[in-house]
Amino acid sequence: MHDDTRATDIETDRLDDLPPDDPVSILLRSVETEATVEEFRVTGVMMQYYAVCHRELWFESRDIEIDRDRAAIVRGTNVDEQAYSDKRRSVPIDGTIVIDVLDDGTVMEVKPSSSMVEPARLQLLYYLWYLKHVVGVERDGVLAHPTERRRESVELTQEAEQRVEEALRGVYDVIDEKTPPEAERKPFCDSCAYHDFCWCC
């Protein structure tokens, strides 16, 4: 947690050397003031879906309506809204991501369980990456599973930055396709908001 200078003033040499058609470069240009022919923005949910299911990501990128009344989705939303509500505030950034910040500046991501901890960790790492390279602020993160009374500190290391950037390139490739990836049965399909798009047609 350091100063508030823009990302163009801090540690940008590595990203400046990326080719202009690299999805990471396209994303950075999309959130800056300069106009871009091709816009590419990635939300935290999209990053999580990339780690969970590419088909789910593709549907999300098309703003396809989903069934928010599914029990698992409602349960997860309630946990997210109620846990630590007196200790964190929601901060929207650039119309792209919304982060929860604790009083000490730590970025928190709340999930109902640790059953899919890797997608949740990638989502939080993306928030930390976005803050560093777009906003120009470095923060630490914490991943919380209140129903299990578990908390995990998350740090944006160099290796983690590279992991986020590779995921951004993967997200770009998935949503650039004209048709969704083939449906693939996974353990969590029954609780997925897009279940009917895959298995009831």
Side-chain angles (χ1 to χ4, degrees):
M1 46 187 91
H2 307 293
D3 66 47
D4 293 335
T5 53
R6 294 295 294 180
T8 50
D9 298 323
I10 60 170
E11 299 183 25
T12 55
D13 290 348
R14 180 176 60 83
L15 296 182
D16 284 344
D17 291 338
L18 294 174
D21 61 346
D22 187 301
V24 176
S25 294
I26 297 173
L27 181 142
L28 291 172
R29 290 198 306 274
S30 295
V31 297
E32 291 174 354
T33 56
E34 67 178 274
T36 56
V37 175
E38 181 179 17
E39 183 172 84
F40 175 50
R41 291 177 181 261
V42 176
T43 66
V45 169
M46 290 170 68
M47 186 63 80
Q48 178 182 334
Y49 286 177
Y50 173 74
V52 173
C53 174
H54 290 182
R55 185 175 172 90
E56 187 177 22
L57 167 63
W58 192 93
F59 287 136
E60 168 70 15
S61 72
R62 266 57 179 184
D63 295 322
I64 294 176
E65 291 295 325
I66 59 176
D67 180 8
R68 286 284 174 186
D69 293 329
R70 284 186 179 274
I73 298 171
V74 172
R75 183 169 58 251
T77 301
N78 288 340
V79 168
D80 181 59
E81 290 176 349
Q82 296 170 12
Y84 309 101
S85 58
D86 60 333
K87 299 179 181 179
R88 60 186 173 125
R89 64 187 186 280
S90 183
V91 180
I93 300 175
D94 295 337
T96 302
I97 64 171
V98 180
I99 62 173
D100 289 335
V101 182
L102 298 176
D103 292 339
D104 64 358
T106 301
V107 178
M108 170 174 274
E109 183 63 23
V110 178
K111 298 298 181 186
S113 80
S114 58
S115 60
M116 290 195 291
V117 67
E118 286 305 319
R121 188 180 294 121
L122 180 61
Q123 181 178 358
L124 179 53
L125 285 172
Y126 173 56
Y127 290 156
L128 301 180
W129 181 94
Y130 195 99
L131 286 173
K132 178 178 178 180
H133 291 290
V134 176
V135 182
V137 177
E138 294 187 42
R139 290 289 184 266
D140 295 324
V142 60
L143 183 59
H145 307 290
T147 59
E148 301 173 5
R149 298 184 178 181
R150 293 180 53 185
R151 288 169 62 125
E152 171 194 344
S153 296
V154 176
E155 180 182 354
L156 187 68
T157 63
Q158 184 175 358
E159 180 180 356
E161 287 198 37
Q162 293 173 350
R163 179 184 174 196
V164 168
E165 290 156 17
E166 284 304 309
L168 287 171
R169 296 181 182 105
V171 169
Y172 184 90
D173 288 342
V174 171
I175 67 178
D176 192 49
E177 293 294 329
K178 302 301 182 186
T179 58
E182 290 295 319
E184 178 183 348
R185 177 66 72 175
K186 297 185 178 183
F188 41 80
C189 284
D190 288 342
S191 62
C192 175
Y194 295 102
H195 175 275
D196 292 352
F197 286 89
C198 299
W199 308 112
C200 295
C201 299

